[in-house]
Amino acid sequence: MLESKYPNLKSALLLAPSMAEKVKTDFSYPFFAVIPVRDFCYIFSENDFQFFASKIGKVVVDEYKKSGYQITTEILKFTKKGIEAVGKYPVE
């Protein structure tokens, strides 16, 4: 869980320069994340990719559909080289 003084901007924390160190300390780097809306994100490790990617699709799509602040239903991989979309949950 990400704690933030500004909960509306939790997804923006993924882009913070210090995020890689924080995530590396807690579980692993590179890591994966889904950020369907600006105040909701899931972060998971490479080791847990298959488990989480197969379980969270419905929640990601539901959050995306009901929010006025949509971002994406893509599964994003965060590495030292940057951010890459490795999958996407269909909205329809």
Side-chain angles (χ1 to χ4, degrees):
M1 179 173 190
L2 295 175
E3 294 295 329
S4 173
K5 183 176 178 181
Y6 305 101
N8 295 1
L9 303 175
K10 277 187 183 179
S11 297
L13 292 174
L14 293 173
L15 304 174
S18 61
M19 188 61 176
E21 277 305 311
K22 169 77 172 132
V23 171
K24 192 184 308 181
T25 301
D26 290 344
F27 53 91
S28 77
Y29 193 83
F31 66 94
F32 293 89
V34 291
I35 49 174
V37 298
R38 72 179 186 179
D39 63 346
F40 179 98
C41 64
Y42 275 139
I43 299 172
F44 47 98
S45 70
E46 280 190 301
N47 293 339
D48 295 327
F49 178 81
Q50 291 300 324
F51 176 80
F52 282 110
S54 68
K55 303 278 186 205
I56 62 174
K58 182 178 178 352
V59 174
V60 170
V61 171
D62 287 349
E63 288 290 329
Y64 182 84
K65 284 182 172 181
K66 73 179 185 182
S67 175
Y69 301 99
Q70 300 167 328
I71 297 178
T72 186
T73 61
E74 294 174 315
I75 301 170
L76 304 171
K77 183 176 184 178
F78 289 73
T79 68
K80 291 179 183 177
K81 293 181 181 179
I83 304 167
E84 172 188 9
V86 298
K88 184 173 185 171
Y89 297 108
V91 177
E92 299 298 323

